């Protein structure tokens, strides 16, 4: 690779699926473009009916693709198929990541090579880790039931069905952390390695789509990494009890209708206080 390209984002496309209602969307785009090292292209994939809701400042590298489809994964996949650059980064419309942090992701994936996927550390808008290490005895017991290691070893682990633990930057000294899943809010990959079909077949909010996506990456022998010095900020994801009936359908489909495991899972989610 040309050494010049290693230090800029001229071969990167950012794909943002959105329904156009996020108050953060404009800020998300401005944050990416804040500086001279702009991505080659930022593509917002949005349902046609929602274009009227857009309130965004024009950017030279920004384009829109209007679709009849609703659904975060569906819209993201449409964007993936539009990407013409060597690298593609997926980003949620309420996630803020600087050019510096994007470049750190890119430099690390260049070192790792193809068949790898990298993501940042997630912080809240108050600069607190979004994925906090929790070592409560009950959480460790329930983790073992769901085939998750205990203690610090559970960071970055998932059972690829219903449970996942993130990386708390306060508890890892390594900059490059190999994991079993990466949050869907921000990931960077070689464009040729992207999953370009809709793998989420539930209507409504795409809960656990990142676990499903990570499982597919694993099956394709694509390794996953969290880069500690790359930071993405977003709102804290709080568990909503109103959405349990919807989430239950996704979870039970993975549990093969095991009522006992479902209630154990629910207990653990409530303890974690987040999805």
């Amino acid at each position: 690779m040309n050494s010049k390209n290693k230090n800029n984002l001229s071969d990167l496309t950012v794909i943002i699926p959105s329904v156009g209602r996020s108050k953060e969307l404009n800020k998300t785009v401005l944050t990416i473009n804040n500086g001279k090292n702009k991505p080659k292209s930022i593509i917002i994939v949005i349902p046609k009916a929602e274009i009227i809701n857009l309130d965004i400042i024009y950017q030279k590298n920004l384009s829109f693709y209007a679709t009849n489809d609703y659904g975060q994964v569906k819209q993201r996949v449409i964007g993936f198929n539009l990407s013409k650059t060597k690298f593609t980064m997926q980003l949620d419309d309420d996630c803020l990541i600087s050019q510096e942090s994007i470049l750190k992701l890119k430099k690390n994936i260049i070192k790792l090579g193809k068949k790898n996927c990298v993501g940042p550390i997630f912080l809240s808008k108050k600069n607190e880790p979004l994925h906090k290490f929790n070592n409560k005895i009950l959480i460790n017991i329930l983790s073992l039931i769901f085939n998750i290691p205990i203690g610090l070893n559970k960071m970055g682990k998932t059972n690829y069905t219903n449970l996942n633990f993130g990386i708390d930057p306060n508890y890892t000294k390594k900059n490059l952390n190999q994991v079993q899943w990466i949050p869907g809010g921000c990931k960077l990959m070689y464009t040729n390695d992207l999953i370009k079909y809709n793998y989420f077949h539930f209507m409504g909010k795409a809960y656990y789509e990142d676990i499903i996506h990570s499982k597919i990456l694993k099956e394709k022998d694509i390794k996953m990494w969290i880069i500690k010095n790359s930071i993405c900020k977003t709102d804290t994801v709080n568990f909503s009890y109103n959405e349990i009936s919807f989430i239950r359908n996704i979870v039970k489909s993975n549990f093969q209708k095991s009522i006992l495991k479902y209630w154990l899972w629910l207990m653990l989610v409530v303890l974690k206080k987040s999805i």
Side-chain angles (χ1 to χ4, degrees):
M1 175 177 288
N2 189 312
S3 59
K4 182 181 178 181
N5 285 350
K6 289 183 179 180
N7 298 310
N8 66 52
L9 303 177
S10 62
D11 51 3
L12 173 74
T13 295
V14 181
I15 302 299
I16 305 176
S18 178
V19 293
R21 301 172 189 172
S22 170
K23 296 179 181 179
E24 296 289 341
L25 179 57
N26 190 56
K27 190 173 182 181
T28 295
V29 174
L30 290 176
T31 301
I32 298 170
N33 275 344
N34 184 22
K36 296 181 180 179
N37 202 352
K38 296 178 175 64
K40 174 73 173 180
S41 176
I42 301 172
I43 303 175
I44 296 177
V45 182
I46 183 171
K48 292 177 181 178
E50 304 293 343
I51 292 179
I52 193 173
N53 296 312
L54 276 175
D55 181 16
I56 194 165
I57 298 173
Y58 171 76
Q59 304 281 307
K60 189 175 181 180
N61 62 344
L62 177 64
S63 62
F64 301 88
Y65 185 89
T67 175
N68 291 319
D69 293 308
Y70 278 82
Q72 187 179 44
V73 176
K74 280 185 180 180
Q75 291 172 230
R76 186 186 291 145
V77 167
I78 289 171
F80 284 170
N81 284 282
L82 295 172
S83 179
K84 305 299 182 185
T85 53
K86 187 169 187 175
F87 300 96
T88 299
M89 187 178 81
Q90 66 182 60
L91 190 68
D92 284 357
D93 63 3
D94 59 352
C95 289
L96 307 178
I97 185 167
S98 68
Q99 291 176 6
E100 180 183 6
S101 281
I102 297 173
L103 191 57
K104 287 174 180 176
L105 293 179
K106 182 186 168 185
K107 286 181 176 179
N108 275 280
I109 201 169
I110 289 172
K111 291 178 182 177
L112 292 165
K114 293 182 179 180
K115 305 289 281 186
N116 285 282
C117 175
V118 295
I121 288 289
F122 277 83
L123 299 182
S124 71
K125 300 295 176 59
K126 296 180 180 180
N127 291 318
E128 296 176 350
L130 209 62
H131 303 107
K132 294 183 178 180
F133 174 66
N134 192 322
N135 206 34
K136 291 180 181 177
I137 293 177
L138 185 53
I139 286 183
N140 281 325
I141 292 173
L142 291 172
S143 295
L144 285 173
I145 292 174
F146 288 107
N147 299 315
I148 298 289
I150 61 174
L152 290 173
N153 290 329
K154 66 173 172 278
M155 291 199 302
K157 298 297 193 298
T158 177
N159 60 1
Y160 290 115
T161 55
N162 64 307
L163 197 61
N164 54 292
F165 289 88
I167 296 288
D168 185 334
N170 295 322
Y171 289 88
T172 180
K173 295 181 180 179
K174 297 183 295 183
N175 185 51
L176 194 61
N177 298 271
Q178 187 167 7
V179 295
Q180 294 179 334
W181 76 284
I182 299 180
C186 183
K187 300 180 184 180
L188 192 150
M189 297 177 66
Y190 281 86
T191 299
N192 288 341
D193 288 335
L194 292 171
I195 307 302
K196 296 184 177 180
Y197 62 88
N198 178 30
Y199 53 84
F200 191 83
H201 304 293
F202 297 91
M203 298 298 292
K205 190 170 181 179
Y207 282 118
Y208 299 110
E209 67 85 9
D210 48 359
I211 300 181
I212 298 171
H213 184 252
S214 295
K215 183 178 181 180
I216 295 170
L217 294 181
K218 179 189 177 187
E219 291 169 348
K220 292 183 176 295
D221 295 320
I222 295 175
K223 294 182 175 63
M224 290 162 274
W225 308 82
I226 293 293
I227 312 303
K228 182 180 177 180
N229 66 0
S230 178
I231 303 298
C232 184
K233 293 186 179 182
T234 189
D235 290 322
T236 303
V237 182
N238 292 318
F239 179 73
S240 173
Y241 295 94
N242 295 329
E243 294 170 310
I244 268 291
S245 59
F246 167 68
I247 299 170
R248 177 169 51 198
N249 293 329
I250 301 173
V251 174
K252 281 192 173 182
S253 71
N254 287 307
F255 285 153
Q256 299 178 335
K257 299 182 180 180
S258 169
I259 301 297
L260 176 59
K261 280 192 174 182
Y262 167 71
W263 285 108
L264 287 172
W265 164 84
L266 179 58
M267 184 188 304
L268 184 51
V269 169
V270 171
L271 282 170
K272 286 175 65 183
K273 296 183 180 178
S274 66
I275 293 293

